[in-house]
Each structure stands twice: as C-alpha cells, then as structure tokens.
C-alpha cells in the first residue's frame, strides 16, 4: 500500500490550500488561532519574539551577536526579519537565550494561557485608568464635576452587571 494520497493527507492533517504570494504554486497550511498566518507575517512574529526575549533578559544586541559569533548588524537583521536564520542558528539562539523551542514558539502558535489573558486585561485596565486620570486633570472644574456625577450615576448599573443580571436599578 502506498499510503495516503495528497488529498487524504491534507484532509487528515486539517491543512488548507493557500496561495502564497512568494510562490508560483499553492502551499498547504493549518489555521493558528482561527486564521492562517501569512509566512512573511510568521517571520515577523519570530523576529518580534526574538527581540522580546532578548530585551526581557536585558541583553544588548551586540552581546547576543557576540555570543552567536555573528556581526551585530547581522543579528539586528534577524530581529527586524530582513534576514532569516537557519534552523541551526535558531537553535543556537535558544541556547544563548536559555529557552526551549517550545517556550519560544508556544506564544506564536497557541492562545495565551488564561492567567496571561487576565494579566493583560489588568495591564490594559491600569493603562486606561492612568490615561483617564491624565485627561481628567486637564478638565475645568465644571466639566470635572459633570464627569464625576456621571460616573457616580453609572456605578450602580456597573455593579448590577457585574453581579450578572444585566439589569439597571430602577430610577428613584
């Protein structure tokens, strides 16, 4: 028996036919997080992840380049995706950044874990609070009082929605 035919293999793996602008023939890809990411976009995500991990470790590009045995300009091109790394070089990067391939790629192909989503929501909330406070500081006294009264009027509705019934309190 010769094994799966192309269409059977495509179906078995859940692949979809994609017209890649860099190729003169179709390729077959899987959806990640509900969509098919263009290969160039995937290269950009890898470069962004590389930069993120390096900066998280507070390493300069020059130091990482030296550890990899490449010129700083070459390493900079890796981080802006204007040059692509070989698999061997990428594995070397994992060693230098002390990360496993799974840790590197997981955020690119999987949704964020729920605790990361909660942290992201909290960070967004903190940012919104800070920006709102900055805007409020610029208001004149009359407008600030109006905004204050509006927020107070909204509070019971917000509390009721958070309790889960979605109904606003009746007017007094």
């Amino acid at each position: 028996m010769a094994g799966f035919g192309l269409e059977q293999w495509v179906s078995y793996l859940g692949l979809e036919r994609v017209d890649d602008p860099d190729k003169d023939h179709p390729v077959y890809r899987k959806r990640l997080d509900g969509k098919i990411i263009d290969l160039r976009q995937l290269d950009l995500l890898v470069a962004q992840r590389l930069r993120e991990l390096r900066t998280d470790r507070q390493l300069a590009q020059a130091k990482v380049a030296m550890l990899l045995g490449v010129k700083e300009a070459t390493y900079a091109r890796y981080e802006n995706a204007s040059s692509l790394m070989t698999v061997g070089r990428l594995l070397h990067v994992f060693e230098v950044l002390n990360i496993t391939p799974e840790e590197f790629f997981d955020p690119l192909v999987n949704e964020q874990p729920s605790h990361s989503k909660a942290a992201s929501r909290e960070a967004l909330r903190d940012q919104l609070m800070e920006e709102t406070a900055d805007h409020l500081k610029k208001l004149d006294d009359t407008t600030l009082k109006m905004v204050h009264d509006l927020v107070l009027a909204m509070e019971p509705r917000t509390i009721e929605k958070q309790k889960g019934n979605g109904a606003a309190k009746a007017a007094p």
Side-chain angles (χ1 to χ4, degrees):
M1 182 167 193
F4 283 126
L6 178 65
E7 291 305 316
Q8 290 171 311
W9 189 247
V10 167
S11 177
Y12 175 74
L13 293 176
L15 298 172
E16 294 181 37
R17 181 183 167 143
V18 176
D19 292 319
D20 188 329
D22 294 333
K23 307 274 185 222
D24 59 354
H25 56 279
V27 296
Y28 295 83
R29 304 279 315 283
K30 278 191 178 183
R31 289 186 177 273
L32 298 175
D33 201 18
K35 61 185 175 242
I36 294 178
I37 300 174
D38 176 81
L39 292 176
R40 177 65 182 144
Q41 181 64 29
L42 198 54
D43 290 338
L44 292 171
L45 290 172
V46 167
Q48 179 182 351
R49 180 80 172 129
L50 186 61
R51 183 179 317 106
E52 172 186 298
L53 290 167
R54 178 187 56 78
T55 57
D56 284 352
R57 287 156 175 73
Q58 300 179 354
L59 293 169
Q61 282 185 341
K63 186 175 285 186
V64 175
M66 184 184 72
L67 292 167
L68 293 173
V70 299
K71 294 182 180 177
E72 186 176 351
T74 300
Y75 181 78
R77 287 193 302 271
Y78 294 156
E79 283 194 8
N80 66 29
S82 60
S83 286
L84 303 178
M85 290 179 276
T86 63
V87 172
R89 176 71 68 210
L90 187 58
L91 291 173
H92 191 185
V93 167
F94 296 160
E95 293 171 355
V96 167
L97 296 179
N98 193 30
I99 190 168
T100 66
E102 293 82 9
E103 291 169 320
F104 184 88
F105 288 111
D106 191 59
L108 301 179
V109 297
N110 293 319
E111 288 189 46
Q112 294 179 339
S114 57
H115 69 282
S116 296
K117 287 182 180 178
S120 295
R121 281 194 299 272
E122 188 174 325
L124 177 60
R125 182 177 170 80
D126 290 346
Q127 180 183 355
L128 286 172
M129 292 292 283
E130 186 177 320
E131 290 176 9
T132 301
D134 290 342
H135 289 294
L136 291 173
K137 290 174 186 174
K138 297 174 187 172
L139 298 177
D140 62 72
D141 291 344
T142 304
T143 307
L144 182 59
K145 174 72 171 124
M146 289 169 42
V147 170
H148 177 263
D149 292 345
L150 174 64
V151 170
L152 288 179
M154 291 171 56
E155 190 172 287
R157 291 183 184 105
T158 304
I159 291 170
E160 288 302 316
K161 281 184 181 178
Q162 288 173 347
K163 286 181 182 175
N165 73 4
K169 286 197 174 197

